[in-house]
Amino acid sequence: MTTGPSPEPPTAAPLAPLDVSSAASASPSIEARSISKNFGHVTALRDVNLKLYQGEVLGVVGDNGAGKSTLMKVLSGVHPASSGQMFVDGHEVRYSSPRDARALGIEMVYQDLALAGNMRIDENIFLGREMTRRIGPIRLVDHKANQSQAMAHLDKLRIHVKSVAQRVEELSGGQRQAVAIARATAFDAKVVIMDEPTAALAVKEVAKVLDMIKDLRHHGIGVILISHRLDDIFTVCDRVMALYHGRNFAEAPLTDIERNDVVGWIMGNRSGQGVPADLDRN
């Protein structure tokens, strides 16, 4: 292994508007081919395929235990696939950890957000990837630069907080979700995977999170949205795919289907017929 000067830490990448003409003909930002995942004798995923293009929002639905979260953890490097192939921008990749996925621009916002409540907003955004300054042979965290970059990044995402010096535990649920999304997009993200981002939010905060997802699409970032809320799926998604018992079950652009179809897919019914009339479709 060669040695040399310590590499400079990454800086937050600016968000640029999507060039629609180039995105339309590009390779998928991320693609999974025939992904299977076994936990001992239990098969959680079997030959699952997924494609996500630049600036696209893909909804992933399915009942509890359908394999949604397991698939997302494979895509983000948490779990290695038992078999199958992964591609980023058309190139086959293999992850050994979530760090490998993040280095390729694949970020995940977990349902529990994974934020440090006793730390400031800027500290959460740059946690593990802090900007530093050198004093002789010593490198120290540059708190002023981190705060400045964090504020600029929040402004680009239209996230409004009193100060980036606020501790996360002082924020509302919607603001915490916004900080988690800001952290995921601060370092040249290509794909952001969101696991039930609106599950525990009030109505007004749900609308703000969905607006943020639309902004990410405008900036060319692909979003995979896992949600049980069909309102969310039909508000922001371009396409929806359903998993059923760990397999691909159905997939279509949102313009080609209705809620009954998606409800049917979740229940294992492709026709959408036979869905109880009194079922809550939200």
Side-chain angles (χ1 to χ4, degrees):
M1 178 182 292
T2 59
T3 60
S6 300
E8 292 293 327
T11 56
L15 295 175
L18 171 64
D19 181 347
V20 178
S21 60
S22 62
S25 58
S27 299
S29 295
I30 190 168
E31 179 180 2
R33 295 182 189 171
S34 300
I35 292 292
S36 296
K37 177 61 184 175
N38 302 318
F39 295 97
H41 295 293
V42 177
T43 300
L45 298 172
R46 182 168 295 170
D47 295 327
V48 174
N49 298 302
L50 176 147
K51 287 183 181 180
L52 178 76
Y53 290 89
Q54 182 183 8
E56 180 183 36
V57 182
L58 171 65
V60 178
V61 300
D63 205 352
N64 293 333
K68 306 183 299 298
S69 293
T70 300
L71 176 59
M72 298 308 120
K73 288 177 180 178
V74 170
L75 295 178
S76 61
V78 176
H79 294 322
S82 300
S83 63
Q85 296 173 288
M86 291 277 300
F87 297 84
V88 174
D89 290 335
H91 303 288
E92 186 171 2
V93 298
R94 293 183 183 276
Y95 306 146
S96 60
S97 71
R99 184 183 294 273
D100 294 341
R102 286 198 297 268
L104 293 170
I106 313 302
E107 298 276 358
M108 183 157 178
V109 179
Y110 294 93
Q111 189 168 357
D112 63 1
L113 303 183
L115 296 173
N118 63 336
M119 297 178 71
R120 302 191 309 260
I121 292 172
D122 62 294
E123 291 173 327
N124 271 275
I125 291 175
F126 291 104
L127 188 61
R129 296 182 279 191
E130 295 87 351
M131 286 176 279
T132 60
R133 55 191 174 90
R134 188 185 294 278
I135 300 179
I138 302 173
R139 188 178 290 279
L140 301 174
V141 174
D142 190 337
H143 293 288
K144 189 172 182 180
N146 286 323
Q147 289 190 12
S148 175
Q149 286 285 338
M151 196 70 245
H153 187 57
L154 293 177
D155 286 343
K156 288 170 188 170
L157 291 174
R158 297 190 296 174
I159 298 171
H160 304 294
V161 295
K162 292 179 181 177
S163 167
V164 293
Q166 280 183 275
R167 297 189 187 279
V168 165
E169 63 192 3
E170 300 171 0
L171 304 177
S172 69
Q175 288 175 319
R176 294 183 192 192
Q177 186 67 250
V179 170
I181 294 171
R183 181 179 61 185
T185 57
F187 295 92
D188 200 22
K190 297 174 184 171
V191 173
V192 176
I193 301 167
M194 299 186 186
D195 191 356
E196 300 285 357
T198 62
L201 301 183
V203 174
K204 287 185 179 179
E205 294 185 322
V206 168
K208 291 178 181 178
V209 171
L210 296 182
D211 284 342
M212 286 185 62
I213 294 173
K214 293 176 184 177
D215 284 344
L216 295 182
R217 173 170 55 193
H218 173 70
H219 290 296
I221 297 173
V223 178
I224 299 176
L225 173 64
I226 300 176
S227 182
H228 283 93
R229 291 173 51 95
L230 294 190
D231 279 346
D232 296 357
I233 297 293
F234 277 83
T235 298
V236 298
C237 293
D238 302 294
R239 189 162 47 91
V240 62
M241 64 173 279
L243 296 179
Y244 187 73
H245 291 180
R247 296 176 180 265
N248 288 102
F249 187 77
E251 182 176 335
L254 263 295
T255 54
D256 296 347
I257 56 174
E258 298 179 352
R259 288 182 184 236
N260 261 11
D261 298 313
V262 180
V263 173
W265 295 354
I266 294 171
M267 298 169 62
N269 177 2
R270 284 191 179 87
S271 70
Q273 298 177 356
V275 176
D278 59 347
L279 187 68
D280 183 357
R281 290 167 174 77
N282 295 322

